[in-house]
Amino acid sequence: TTTLKLINRLHTQSSGAILVDGRSLEEWDIIRLRRMIGYVIQEVGLFPHFTVERNIGLVPQIEGWPADRIRHRVTELLGLVGLEPQLASRYPRELSGGQRQRVGVARALAADPQFLLMDEPFGALDPITRAELQREFLALQQRLGKTVVFVTHDLREALLLGTRIALMESGQLVETLTPDEFVRSTNPMVAEY
């Protein structure tokens, strides 16, 4: 979570450098940086007084998109995340946990960001819904080809969804490996997992 906050400049690192698209964070205009990043968090963070359509269309609206383009994008994204178009008029309280999480993913993708930051997005879901959303997310990621920084404490989830796994301990990067390298690693810190 702290790493994600560093990437979107909610916190400033005390040492080292974080590069986004090959440039140090300090070189980025903070608003431009944040608008090229989509966010998905564990508790979804949907606005309860907004409909699904308004929640998904919020960033495009801020970006000044015309209303018809926003409506088209909302419909497109609902289909992309496996939700029926008629859900657009519902409120978050009228959706299941899995549906709310799908809306959160759609909202993160609404303005077609270059990067996604995902903070334990499936952690609060029941095991069946979680497994289903993991499979759907993997297929969606392969289709869209976005750069995703995905925080999880679930090793199985990291091995399933990750192309690179960065193991962190007490704020320090211990190892960065592919899933295959992770499974075969002899590093004692990795072996604990």
Side-chain angles (χ1 to χ4, degrees):
T1 300
T2 301
T3 302
L4 298 184
K5 289 179 179 181
L6 289 167
I7 293 169
N8 70 12
R9 289 186 56 193
L10 290 174
H11 293 316
T12 304
Q13 76 270 13
S14 55
S15 63
I18 299 173
L19 305 179
V20 172
D21 209 16
R23 292 172 42 203
S24 172
L25 283 180
E26 291 75 24
E27 296 175 36
W28 283 95
D29 171 77
I30 195 165
I31 293 173
R32 177 71 197 118
L33 174 71
R34 288 179 180 161
R35 287 196 179 164
M36 56 190 273
I37 298 173
Y39 307 92
V40 184
I41 59 176
Q42 182 173 354
E43 295 298 324
V44 186
L46 299 177
F47 294 105
H49 56 293
F50 284 8
T51 63
V52 165
E53 180 175 21
R54 192 162 174 212
N55 266 288
I56 295 172
L58 183 62
V59 173
Q61 180 185 3
I62 291 169
E63 288 285 310
W65 291 21
D68 60 329
R69 183 177 175 203
I70 293 172
R71 276 191 301 279
H72 175 75
R73 183 68 173 158
V74 168
T75 301
E76 175 187 27
L77 287 169
L78 286 172
L80 190 67
V81 298
L83 294 174
E84 298 296 323
Q86 61 266 27
L87 291 179
S89 62
R90 292 198 185 161
Y91 289 87
R93 68 182 173 276
E94 299 173 312
L95 305 175
S96 70
Q99 288 172 324
R100 285 192 300 273
Q101 200 61 50
R102 286 179 174 93
V103 172
V105 171
R107 182 179 62 186
L109 294 170
D112 196 22
Q114 287 180 254
F115 310 99
L116 289 178
L117 302 181
M118 302 183 80
D119 193 1
E120 300 241 17
F122 310 135
L125 300 172
D126 67 83
I128 293 170
T129 303
R130 184 176 185 156
E132 180 183 329
L133 284 177
Q134 288 169 340
R135 283 189 305 275
E136 289 176 10
F137 175 76
L138 187 58
L140 183 64
Q141 168 56 12
Q142 290 170 347
R143 181 174 166 193
L144 297 177
K146 299 279 184 196
T147 296
V148 179
V149 179
F150 191 108
V151 173
T152 183
H153 290 93
D154 180 339
L155 179 57
R156 186 192 147 290
E157 186 169 68
L159 292 169
L160 175 68
L161 301 178
T163 55
R164 304 285 296 163
I165 298 171
L167 178 63
M168 299 185 77
E169 180 72 32
S170 301
Q172 299 294 316
L173 184 61
V174 174
E175 192 87 67
T176 303
L177 305 162
T178 67
D180 286 342
E181 291 168 340
F182 192 94
V183 171
R184 292 191 314 264
S185 177
T186 58
N187 179 321
M189 295 283 296
V190 174
E192 288 181 28
Y193 290 91

